[in-house]
PDB file of all heavy atoms in Angstrom:
ATOM      1  N   THR A   9       1.657-141.711 -22.248  1.00 94.00           N
ATOM      2  CA  THR A   9       0.218-142.172 -22.473  1.00 94.00           C
ATOM      3  C   THR A   9      -0.489-141.834 -21.178  1.00 94.00           C
ATOM      4  O   THR A   9      -0.086-142.077 -20.072  1.00 94.00           O
ATOM      5  CB  THR A   9       0.090-143.588 -22.807  1.00 94.00           C
ATOM      6  OG1 THR A   9      -1.245-143.923 -23.013  1.00 94.00           O
ATOM      7  CG2 THR A   9       0.555-144.536 -21.628  1.00 94.00           C
ATOM      8  N   PRO A  10      -1.751-141.318 -21.285  1.00 94.00           N
ATOM      9  CA  PRO A  10      -2.532-141.108 -20.100  1.00 94.00           C
ATOM     10  C   PRO A  10      -3.027-142.457 -19.550  1.00 94.00           C
ATOM     11  O   PRO A  10      -3.467-143.345 -20.420  1.00 94.00           O
ATOM     12  CB  PRO A  10      -3.745-140.211 -20.606  1.00 94.00           C
ATOM     13  CG  PRO A  10      -3.783-140.417 -22.053  1.00 94.00           C
ATOM     14  CD  PRO A  10      -2.378-140.821 -22.529  1.00 94.00           C
ATOM     15  N   VAL A  11      -3.006-142.618 -18.319  1.00 95.00           N
ATOM     16  CA  VAL A  11      -3.486-143.891 -17.682  1.00 95.00           C
ATOM     17  C   VAL A  11      -4.361-143.566 -16.445  1.00 95.00           C
ATOM     18  O   VAL A  11      -4.320-142.435 -15.899  1.00 95.00           O
ATOM     19  CB  VAL A  11      -2.310-144.807 -17.264  1.00 95.00           C
ATOM     20  CG1 VAL A  11      -1.499-145.310 -18.459  1.00 95.00           C
ATOM     21  CG2 VAL A  11      -1.415-144.086 -16.271  1.00 95.00           C
ATOM     22  N   THR A  12      -5.182-144.512 -16.144  1.00 95.00           N
ATOM     23  CA  THR A  12      -5.931-144.418 -14.849  1.00 95.00           C
ATOM     24  C   THR A  12      -5.403-145.601 -13.888  1.00 95.00           C
ATOM     25  O   THR A  12      -5.485-146.670 -14.273  1.00 95.00           O
ATOM     26  CB  THR A  12      -7.431-144.660 -15.147  1.00 95.00           C
ATOM     27  OG1 THR A  12      -7.799-143.605 -16.048  1.00 95.00           O
ATOM     28  CG2 THR A  12      -8.163-144.608 -13.836  1.00 95.00           C
ATOM     29  N   GLY A  13      -4.945-145.154 -12.768  1.00 95.00           N
ATOM     30  CA  GLY A  13      -4.409-146.259 -11.895  1.00 95.00           C
ATOM     31  C   GLY A  13      -4.012-145.615 -10.539  1.00 95.00           C
ATOM     32  O   GLY A  13      -4.180-144.415 -10.301  1.00 95.00           O
ATOM     33  N   ALA A  14      -3.254-146.398  -9.794  1.00 95.00           N
ATOM     34  CA  ALA A  14      -2.734-145.957  -8.522  1.00 95.00           C
ATOM     35  C   ALA A  14      -1.393-146.567  -8.307  1.00 95.00           C
ATOM     36  O   ALA A  14      -1.062-147.668  -8.739  1.00 95.00           O
ATOM     37  CB  ALA A  14      -3.677-146.328  -7.377  1.00 95.00           C
ATOM     38  N   ALA A  15      -0.516-145.906  -7.539  1.00 95.00           N
ATOM     39  CA  ALA A  15       0.848-146.413  -7.319  1.00 95.00           C
ATOM     40  C   ALA A  15       1.104-145.992  -5.916  1.00 95.00           C
ATOM     41  O   ALA A  15       0.583-145.045  -5.236  1.00 95.00           O
ATOM     42  CB  ALA A  15       1.858-145.828  -8.253  1.00 95.00           C
ATOM     43  N   ARG A  16       2.103-146.777  -5.305  1.00 94.00           N
ATOM     44  CA  ARG A  16       2.475-146.481  -3.894  1.00 94.00           C
ATOM     45  C   ARG A  16       3.897-145.878  -3.891  1.00 94.00           C
ATOM     46  O   ARG A  16       4.790-146.421  -4.388  1.00 94.00           O
ATOM     47  CB  ARG A  16       2.406-147.666  -3.021  1.00 94.00           C
ATOM     48  CG  ARG A  16       2.546-147.390  -1.563  1.00 94.00           C
ATOM     49  CD  ARG A  16       2.326-148.661  -0.682  1.00 94.00           C
ATOM     50  NE  ARG A  16       2.113-148.422   0.649  1.00 94.00           N
ATOM     51  CZ  ARG A  16       3.067-148.087   1.480  1.00 94.00           C
ATOM     52  NH1 ARG A  16       4.285-148.008   1.071  1.00 94.00           N
ATOM     53  NH2 ARG A  16       2.829-147.820   2.784  1.00 94.00           N
ATOM     54  N   GLY A  17       3.883-144.588  -3.483  1.00 89.00           N
ATOM     55  CA  GLY A  17       5.132-143.948  -3.461  1.00 89.00           C
ATOM     56  C   GLY A  17       5.667-143.697  -2.026  1.00 89.00           C
ATOM     57  O   GLY A  17       5.220-144.394  -1.097  1.00 89.00           O
ATOM     58  N   GLU A  18       6.630-142.815  -1.875  1.00 85.00           N
ATOM     59  CA  GLU A  18       7.220-142.508  -0.539  1.00 85.00           C
ATOM     60  C   GLU A  18       6.233-142.064   0.453  1.00 85.00           C
ATOM     61  O   GLU A  18       6.374-142.375   1.682  1.00 85.00           O
ATOM     62  CB  GLU A  18       8.307-141.469  -0.727  1.00 85.00           C
ATOM     63  CG  GLU A  18       9.555-141.871  -1.519  1.00 85.00           C
ATOM     64  CD  GLU A  18      10.545-140.723  -1.655  1.00 85.00           C
ATOM     65  OE1 GLU A  18      10.355-139.631  -1.073  1.00 85.00           O
ATOM     66  OE2 GLU A  18      11.546-140.977  -2.390  1.00 85.00           O
ATOM     67  N   ARG A  19       5.121-141.418   0.038  1.00 87.00           N
ATOM     68  CA  ARG A  19       4.201-140.798   0.897  1.00 87.00           C
ATOM     69  C   ARG A  19       2.812-141.548   0.907  1.00 87.00           C
ATOM     70  O   ARG A  19       1.803-140.994   1.211  1.00 87.00           O
ATOM     71  CB  ARG A  19       3.992-139.326   0.593  1.00 87.00           C
ATOM     72  CG  ARG A  19       5.216-138.454   0.964  1.00 87.00           C
ATOM     73  CD  ARG A  19       4.954-137.035   0.504  1.00 87.00           C
ATOM     74  NE  ARG A  19       5.110-136.942  -0.952  1.00 87.00           N
ATOM     75  CZ  ARG A  19       4.868-135.687  -1.576  1.00 87.00           C
ATOM     76  NH1 ARG A  19       4.477-134.708  -0.926  1.00 87.00           N
ATOM     77  NH2 ARG A  19       4.974-135.760  -2.877  1.00 87.00           N
ATOM     78  N   GLY A  20       2.889-142.826   0.387  1.00 91.00           N
ATOM     79  CA  GLY A  20       1.702-143.616   0.367  1.00 91.00           C
ATOM     80  C   GLY A  20       1.142-143.677  -1.051  1.00 91.00           C
ATOM     81  O   GLY A  20       1.846-143.345  -2.020  1.00 91.00           O
ATOM     82  N   TRP A  21      -0.141-144.081  -1.116  1.00 94.00           N
ATOM     83  CA  TRP A  21      -0.782-144.294  -2.486  1.00 94.00           C
ATOM     84  C   TRP A  21      -1.066-142.918  -3.123  1.00 94.00           C
ATOM     85  O   TRP A  21      -1.479-141.959  -2.409  1.00 94.00           O
ATOM     86  CB  TRP A  21      -1.960-145.152  -2.377  1.00 94.00           C
ATOM     87  CG  TRP A  21      -1.681-146.532  -2.018  1.00 94.00           C
ATOM     88  CD1 TRP A  21      -1.503-147.177  -0.854  1.00 94.00           C
ATOM     89  CD2 TRP A  21      -1.440-147.533  -3.048  1.00 94.00           C
ATOM     90  NE1 TRP A  21      -1.195-148.455  -0.988  1.00 94.00           N
ATOM     91  CE2 TRP A  21      -1.199-148.767  -2.374  1.00 94.00           C
ATOM     92  CE3 TRP A  21      -1.475-147.603  -4.436  1.00 94.00           C
ATOM     93  CZ2 TRP A  21      -0.865-149.978  -3.023  1.00 94.00           C
ATOM     94  CZ3 TRP A  21      -1.195-148.795  -5.061  1.00 94.00           C
ATOM     95  CH2 TRP A  21      -0.950-149.962  -4.397  1.00 94.00           C
ATOM     96  N   PHE A  22      -1.039-142.926  -4.452  1.00 94.00           N
ATOM     97  CA  PHE A  22      -1.417-141.730  -5.176  1.00 94.00           C
ATOM     98  C   PHE A  22      -2.020-142.121  -6.530  1.00 94.00           C
ATOM     99  O   PHE A  22      -1.808-143.204  -7.007  1.00 94.00           O
ATOM    100  CB  PHE A  22      -0.223-140.739  -5.425  1.00 94.00           C
ATOM    101  CG  PHE A  22       0.827-141.202  -6.339  1.00 94.00           C
ATOM    102  CD1 PHE A  22       0.837-141.037  -7.642  1.00 94.00           C
ATOM    103  CD2 PHE A  22       1.877-142.047  -5.738  1.00 94.00           C
ATOM    104  CE1 PHE A  22       1.905-141.500  -8.409  1.00 94.00           C
ATOM    105  CE2 PHE A  22       2.907-142.503  -6.483  1.00 94.00           C
ATOM    106  CZ  PHE A  22       2.914-142.243  -7.955  1.00 94.00           C
ATOM    107  N   LYS A  23      -2.820-141.249  -7.113  1.00 93.00           N
ATOM    108  CA  LYS A  23      -3.401-141.553  -8.417  1.00 93.00           C
ATOM    109  C   LYS A  23      -2.419-141.356  -9.480  1.00 93.00           C
ATOM    110  O   LYS A  23      -1.771-140.335  -9.595  1.00 93.00           O
ATOM    111  CB  LYS A  23      -4.623-140.609  -8.627  1.00 93.00           C
ATOM    112  CG  LYS A  23      -5.902-141.015  -7.729  1.00 93.00           C
ATOM    113  CD  LYS A  23      -6.976-140.046  -8.062  1.00 93.00           C
ATOM    114  CE  LYS A  23      -8.223-140.404  -7.129  1.00 93.00           C
ATOM    115  NZ  LYS A  23      -9.332-139.505  -7.384  1.00 93.00           N
ATOM    116  N   VAL A  24      -2.329-142.335 -10.409  1.00 94.00           N
ATOM    117  CA  VAL A  24      -1.488-142.219 -11.547  1.00 94.00           C
ATOM    118  C   VAL A  24      -2.248-141.712 -12.720  1.00 94.00           C
ATOM    119  O   VAL A  24      -3.352-142.204 -13.097  1.00 94.00           O
ATOM    120  CB  VAL A  24      -0.863-143.608 -11.846  1.00 94.00           C
ATOM    121  CG1 VAL A  24      -0.080-143.537 -13.150  1.00 94.00           C
ATOM    122  CG2 VAL A  24      -0.025-144.163 -10.774  1.00 94.00           C
ATOM    123  N   LYS A  25      -1.694-140.560 -13.303  1.00 93.00           N
ATOM    124  CA  LYS A  25      -2.368-139.944 -14.502  1.00 93.00           C
ATOM    125  C   LYS A  25      -1.603-140.182 -15.740  1.00 93.00           C
ATOM    126  O   LYS A  25      -2.237-140.149 -16.791  1.00 93.00           O
ATOM    127  CB  LYS A  25      -2.446-138.429 -14.177  1.00 93.00           C
ATOM    128  CG  LYS A  25      -3.259-138.010 -12.963  1.00 93.00           C
ATOM    129  CD  LYS A  25      -4.682-138.305 -13.181  1.00 93.00           C
ATOM    130  CE  LYS A  25      -5.535-137.861 -11.965  1.00 93.00           C
ATOM    131  NZ  LYS A  25      -5.529-136.389 -11.825  1.00 93.00           N
TER     132      LYS A  25
END
Side-chain angles (χ1 to χ4, degrees):
Chain A
T9 185
V11 295
T12 300
R16 194 172 192 283
E18 292 178 4
R19 290 175 287 176
W21 287 90
F22 64 94
K23 289 183 178 177
V24 175
K25 300 289 183 67

